[in-house]
Amino acid sequence: MPPFDPNAVTYVYLRCVGGEEAGTSALAPKVGPLGLSAKKLAGDIAKKTTSFKGLRVTVQLEVKNRQATVSVVPSAAALIIKALNEPQRDRKKVKHVKHDGDISMDQLYEIAREMRPRSMAREFSGTVREMLGTCVSVGCTVGGEAPMDLIKKIQDGNFTCPEK
């Protein structure tokens, strides 16, 4: 094994439920070799993910000189469900929730702007269409309309998206 480099930066990604401590049994094999305490890190992750309580989110750990920085990398679905402002639920008791709410176009544009760096689309309208596709899978409507209808309108040129 090469000698320890104090300036090396290592990124560790893991999925966990927001607001809950990540299972130390899942965390230990990932951060143990980097010289970090899984139990302490689980508490830090729980604090950082409180705004996504009950939702599965991806967490990025940036490890430098045996110090970990926790940042949340939310998925499109997590952002959309968060925008629906649904009441908190106990994920162990309530299963298979239907997210049949409605989000505004402005909320959708905000989510698309947040997801833009990770999008594969060339233009912003493509990212908006990606987010509308996620709305279809989540099961919500956008501005009172079905997301598939909006996707068709954008493709046909009947609906214009902002440039950014």
Side-chain angles (χ1 to χ4, degrees):
M1 191 168 160
F4 177 71
D5 180 14
N7 297 323
V9 178
T10 310
Y11 293 98
V12 179
Y13 293 91
L14 67 138
R15 301 256 308 157
C16 64
V17 179
E20 294 180 18
E21 288 204 2
T24 51
S25 58
L27 207 51
K30 293 179 181 178
V31 298
L34 301 171
L36 297 168
S37 161
K39 189 139 180 94
K40 181 180 164 292
L41 215 53
D44 293 346
I45 291 170
K47 283 187 197 116
K48 279 283 187 186
T49 58
T50 49
S51 61
F52 291 94
K53 197 165 176 67
L55 299 174
R56 284 187 66 83
V57 289
T58 306
V59 177
Q60 178 190 39
L61 303 173
E62 182 183 339
V63 181
K64 182 176 182 185
N65 200 10
R66 292 185 60 198
Q67 293 294 316
T69 312
V70 180
S71 57
V72 181
V73 187
S75 65
L79 289 170
I80 288 168
I81 293 169
K82 186 178 173 188
L84 288 170
N85 288 332
E86 292 182 339
Q88 305 230 330
R89 59 186 172 85
D90 184 4
R91 69 183 183 92
K92 290 188 171 74
K93 292 178 184 158
V94 185
K95 302 276 188 200
H96 308 295
V97 176
K98 284 270 183 259
H99 305 284
D100 55 357
D102 183 67
I103 62 172
S104 68
M105 281 306 287
D106 291 332
Q107 285 176 311
L108 185 82
Y109 291 146
E110 281 304 311
I111 293 168
R113 285 183 190 105
E114 196 169 330
M115 293 297 291
R116 184 72 183 125
R118 291 185 282 151
S119 169
M120 293 294 164
R122 273 184 289 178
E123 284 134 28
F124 183 68
S125 63
T127 307
V128 170
R129 288 201 322 252
E130 284 180 5
M131 297 309 114
L132 285 167
T134 307
C135 286
V136 172
S137 65
V138 166
C140 66
T141 56
V142 179
E145 287 187 66
M148 283 307 293
D149 297 343
L150 286 169
I151 291 173
K152 286 264 190 284
K153 284 182 183 177
I154 292 171
Q155 286 174 333
D156 297 341
N158 300 339
F159 188 89
T160 54
C161 294
E163 290 298 313
K164 288 187 178 182

